[in-house]
Amino acid sequence: MSEINLTVDDLDLVALYGRNNQNLNLLSVAYPEVAITSRGNTVKLSGDKKTAQKVKSKIELMIRLLREHKELPKQMVEDVLNGDNPFQTKLSSGSNNPTIVHGRGGKEIKAKTVNQKFLFEASEENDIVFAIGPAGTGKTYTAVAMAVRALKNRLVKKIILTRPAVEAGENLGFLPGDLKDKVDPYLRPLYDALDDMLPADKLNKFMTERTIEIAPLAFMRGRTLNDAFVILDEAQNCTNAQIKMFLTRLGPSAKCIITGDLSQIDLPYRVQSGLKVALDLLGNVNGIARVNLSAEDVVRHRLVKEIIRAYERESDRKKQEREAAYQAEQAERRKSNGEEE
């Protein structure tokens, strides 16, 4: 048996312990072998020495998170208990994480993870950046924030946001309305990001004047996109011809971010994703950068991270099965050729 007394200074104890000791209760459920009691600013841990040390390290991480973020929501505590170290990917609001842009009501919009910060830095240094990663990692939101930043700083004259109008397993062709009504559902995530960053009146003014333009990818053909910050969203659903067409639209004063999730390709069967081809062909071109985001960068509900991991494991399993089947087929073919000889 071991007993550890942990003293907490200069912190909101209600925030640390949780209302009605909710956070400490989560610890107790996760580590039933250790008795956790609190009295004032002292937390007492009694139980197996090795396990008590684990609990101590979890509490110390919770203290660090509370100091950095000024809050400790339940989800953050659950992440700690699940073995995630938020400091590996999550960023604080300190000086080493500059504000990308001020959103509505003066809200500071910053990178929330290390890889989002890499995306911001890569865009500052390169004219074309590929942001590749699963849903929920903030690719589109961060890209839109950088576009608004460039517009506010007068580095560009307009923002152009586009994505291919590919249906995700649903047929929307019979929706009522004109072309805009049919296309808008595909572009809704871009509208949502802009709504968070610009007052409604200014956003409406920019869109009326076409300072901000949101359009399906097909509308880019034949144009030259100059003095613009251009975002191609959901690029995994571009064909090879589409992404080549888009990339060759860029004028000499344009900047571009291309986002995509290679695990969510909605193109028809046997149609290759143009994003895959572009990544292979352009990987070594000077001025073009690639930033990879992962499940660790997910900033949605904590379960989204687990969902992505589960699908990644299944994808890896199927890949191994295909590889094993191929190797077996090759071995059988070599054996058959040897018999014939």
Side-chain angles (χ1 to χ4, degrees):
M1 289 289 291
S2 175
E3 185 174 296
I4 299 174
N5 289 300
L6 189 60
T7 302
V8 182
D9 293 319
D10 303 322
L11 269 182
D12 180 350
L13 296 178
V14 173
L16 178 62
Y17 298 161
R19 292 190 179 278
N20 300 318
N21 286 337
Q22 172 185 259
N23 295 340
L24 295 184
N25 291 337
L26 288 171
L27 281 165
S28 296
V29 171
Y31 297 96
E33 311 96 321
V34 177
I36 304 172
T37 56
S38 63
R39 178 170 294 179
N41 67 339
T42 300
V43 180
K44 181 180 176 182
L45 310 175
S46 304
D48 172 72
K49 183 177 181 180
K50 188 175 181 180
T51 308
Q53 285 293 340
K54 282 185 181 179
V55 176
K56 177 175 179 287
S57 69
K58 298 292 185 185
I59 295 175
E60 288 173 340
L61 183 53
M62 289 163 56
I63 291 171
R64 187 178 167 198
L65 285 167
L66 181 56
R67 291 191 192 281
E68 290 277 347
H69 296 274
K70 312 303 181 188
E71 60 179 353
L72 191 65
K74 181 181 177 182
Q75 180 177 327
M76 196 175 287
V77 177
E78 289 174 340
D79 285 344
V80 170
L81 295 177
N82 287 333
D84 296 332
N85 183 347
F87 287 99
Q88 291 176 349
T89 55
K90 300 296 187 292
L91 292 174
S92 70
S93 57
S95 59
N96 66 333
N97 183 22
T99 300
I100 298 175
V101 70
H102 286 89
R104 295 179 66 170
K107 173 185 175 183
E108 290 187 339
I109 296 175
K110 302 185 177 190
K112 293 184 178 180
T113 71
V114 171
N115 286 327
Q116 286 182 14
K117 186 182 178 188
F118 287 163
L119 175 55
F120 170 59
E121 293 170 347
S123 181
E124 293 284 286
E125 298 171 4
N126 298 274
D127 287 335
I128 298 177
V129 179
F130 289 91
I132 310 301
T137 52
K139 306 182 299 297
T140 301
Y141 191 85
T142 305
V144 171
M146 289 186 286
V148 173
R149 168 193 174 92
L151 184 64
K152 285 186 172 182
N153 291 341
R154 300 187 178 180
L155 301 176
V156 296
K157 293 181 179 178
K158 67 186 307 182
I159 295 172
I160 299 174
L161 310 174
T162 185
R163 65 191 306 190
V166 175
E167 297 160 353
E170 300 174 80
N171 191 335
L172 303 182
F174 297 102
L175 284 177
D178 58 17
L179 179 61
K180 183 179 183 300
D181 293 328
K182 290 178 182 289
V183 164
D184 274 357
Y186 296 103
L187 307 174
R188 191 69 254 170
L190 301 173
Y191 286 112
D192 290 343
L194 286 169
D195 283 342
D196 209 27
M197 297 173 199
L198 291 167
D201 56 343
K202 181 168 284 189
L203 177 56
N204 289 333
K205 180 174 182 289
F206 281 156
M207 296 193 72
T208 300
E209 296 174 348
R210 300 181 71 81
T211 302
I212 295 178
E213 181 181 349
I214 303 178
L217 182 60
F219 288 19
M220 298 298 109
R221 189 173 296 278
R223 299 180 59 182
T224 298
L225 309 177
N226 198 22
D227 291 320
F229 198 112
V230 190
I231 298 172
L232 172 57
D233 196 32
E234 299 287 346
Q236 77 276 3
N237 288 327
C238 292
T239 64
N240 192 29
Q242 284 176 323
I243 205 161
K244 178 184 175 184
M245 176 274 291
F246 170 78
L247 288 170
T248 54
R249 299 305 94 206
L250 300 179
S253 300
K255 289 186 76 73
C256 172
I257 294 180
I258 299 167
T259 74
D261 176 4
L262 292 173
S263 70
Q264 291 192 354
I265 298 173
D266 300 311
L267 291 168
Y269 183 61
R270 295 188 182 280
V271 176
Q272 186 179 25
S273 169
L275 179 59
K276 287 184 176 180
V277 177
L279 290 171
D280 291 338
L281 291 177
L282 306 176
N284 296 319
V285 177
N286 188 36
I288 298 179
R290 171 175 175 168
V291 177
N292 292 313
L293 299 97
S294 71
E296 299 304 319
D297 296 289
V298 169
V299 291
R300 293 179 182 169
H301 193 285
R302 65 179 181 83
L303 289 177
V304 174
K305 184 185 296 185
E306 299 304 319
I307 291 167
I308 290 170
R309 286 173 175 167
Y311 276 96
E312 286 176 346
R313 287 193 295 270
E314 177 65 7
S315 177
D316 290 343
R317 185 186 67 79
K318 288 183 177 180
K319 184 177 179 181
Q320 290 171 2
E321 285 181 353
R322 288 194 299 268
E323 180 64 24
Y326 175 77
Q327 293 297 337
E329 181 183 335
Q330 293 297 102
E332 186 64 28
R333 182 173 299 172
R334 288 193 295 269
K335 182 180 177 181
S336 176
N337 288 341
E339 289 175 354
E340 290 177 358
E341 293 172 359

